Every structure is written in C-alpha cells, then in structure tokens.
Amino acid sequence: MHALAEPPVSPTVVGAEERDGLARAQRRVVVRLRDGETIVIGGSPSYEDALVLAQKTILELADVGAGEWPMLGDRFINPDAIVSVDVVRWS
C-alpha cells in the first residue's frame, strides 16, 4: 500500500450531488488515525472510483497478519491507531 505524502485533509459529506447539478468533485481516500492525523492513500476522479479504492485499502489493511503493522507511505502504522478509511472531497 502506498500513501501519498500530503497534509491532512478535513472530512466532508460525500455522496450528495452538487446543488446546481454539476458533476461531483474529485475525491481522496485517507486513513484516519486516533490522534486525528490523516494519511492520503490516493485520489480518484469520481466518488465511485474512490469507493473502490477505499474498499481495496480496507481489504489490504484487514489482510495484515496478527502482530504485523501495515506500511502506509514510508512508515509502519500500529493497527490499533487506525480509526477509519474515509472518502473525502478533493477541492
């Protein structure tokens, strides 16, 4: 799993169409840690593509063996520190 080295992002409500009917904004998939830090996993041009990336990320995290720590970017993360995998607006 390769995370992007970018600053943390704030979550926004996803899945809703824009008020004026325009296409939805691009999305990022991030892993959120207990201390509030986010690690960007990747970006997608659409909400649906981001959901696929988020689901793949969840499967990879679940596949980590007992006692092992997943590598996100250039660091190993304690699995107990992971709170969620989020799809957020990329503006």
Side-chain angles (χ1 to χ4, degrees), residues 1-89:
M1 182 176 316
H2 302 287
L4 302 176
E6 294 192 24
V9 293
S10 298
T12 58
V13 177
V14 295
E17 291 289 331
E18 298 293 333
R19 288 180 300 162
D20 57 5
L22 295 176
R24 291 180 240 171
Q26 293 182 337
R27 309 296 173 150
R28 284 185 181 169
V29 175
V30 300
V31 172
R32 187 165 310 280
L33 304 180
R34 287 198 187 283
D35 65 1
E37 178 183 359
T38 56
I39 301 171
V40 178
I41 300 300
S44 295
S46 71
Y47 176 71
E48 290 77 15
D49 290 342
L51 284 180
V52 171
L53 178 57
Q55 291 169 340
K56 287 180 181 179
T57 300
I58 292 166
L59 289 174
E60 287 183 28
L61 291 172
D63 196 34
V64 174
E68 294 181 25
W69 289 17
M71 183 172 233
L72 297 175
D74 293 332
R75 59 193 258 217
F76 289 96
I77 302 295
N78 182 336
D80 293 333
I82 298 172
V83 174
S84 63
V85 175
D86 302 336
V87 175
V88 296
R89 214 176 278 280

